[in-house]
Amino acid sequence: QVQLVESGGGLVQPGGSLRLSCAASGSIFSIGVMSWHRQAPGKQRELVAGITSGGSTNYANSVKGRFTISRDNANNTLYLQMNSLKPEDTSVYYCYAVVTTTIGGLNSYWGQGTQVTVSS
């Protein structure tokens, strides 16, 4: 049993910044890849950014140069620093993680999402 809980979403003006957090808890032995995804109304869920356990990152072209993904392995926490936000960034942002549990299972988990709204 593993839980991912996102936080940090909210309303921000265009050009502003937000930092999202995703805290993983439960029967965790280790966490592999973690990533942020977003889904706007009527659209498909898309990968925003991903990070491996070793710190290698990748970004969607639409956010490259504006967003930074990072993780704190000691605290099982994932972050997404979002700068220069645009209205098209408005979406529900979801955390995803691949977790090895304390009983040796390898499973993937989704958080329930946090709303980010970019509007003036």
Side-chain angles (χ1 to χ4, degrees):
Q1 176 73 289
V2 173
Q3 300 80 226
L4 304 179
V5 180
E6 301 98 335
S7 62
L11 175 64
V12 64
Q13 294 184 343
S17 298
L18 284 174
R19 188 166 88 142
L20 306 183
S21 299
C22 170
S25 62
S27 303
I28 299 169
F29 179 77
S30 63
I31 303 177
V33 297
M34 301 185 81
S35 55
W36 288 100
H37 304 247
R38 65 187 182 187
Q39 187 168 23
K43 296 184 177 180
Q44 296 291 313
R45 187 171 299 187
E46 64 173 342
L47 174 68
V48 176
I51 185 168
T52 69
S53 60
S56 296
T57 60
N58 66 286
Y59 298 90
N61 288 333
S62 59
V63 307
K64 194 171 298 182
R66 300 188 296 120
F67 292 8
T68 302
I69 189 171
S70 61
R71 62 193 288 170
D72 181 349
N73 291 332
N75 291 294
N76 292 329
T77 303
L78 177 72
Y79 302 97
L80 185 67
Q81 177 66 230
M82 303 185 293
N83 300 140
S84 302
L85 283 161
K86 305 174 180 179
E88 51 263 46
D89 295 319
T90 295
S91 190
V92 177
Y93 284 71
Y94 297 91
C95 176
Y96 172 88
V98 176
V99 179
T100 299
T101 68
T102 53
I103 59 172
L106 185 67
N107 301 101
S108 59
Y109 300 89
W110 289 95
Q112 292 196 17
T114 185
Q115 176 71 49
V116 171
T117 302
V118 184
S119 177
S120 58

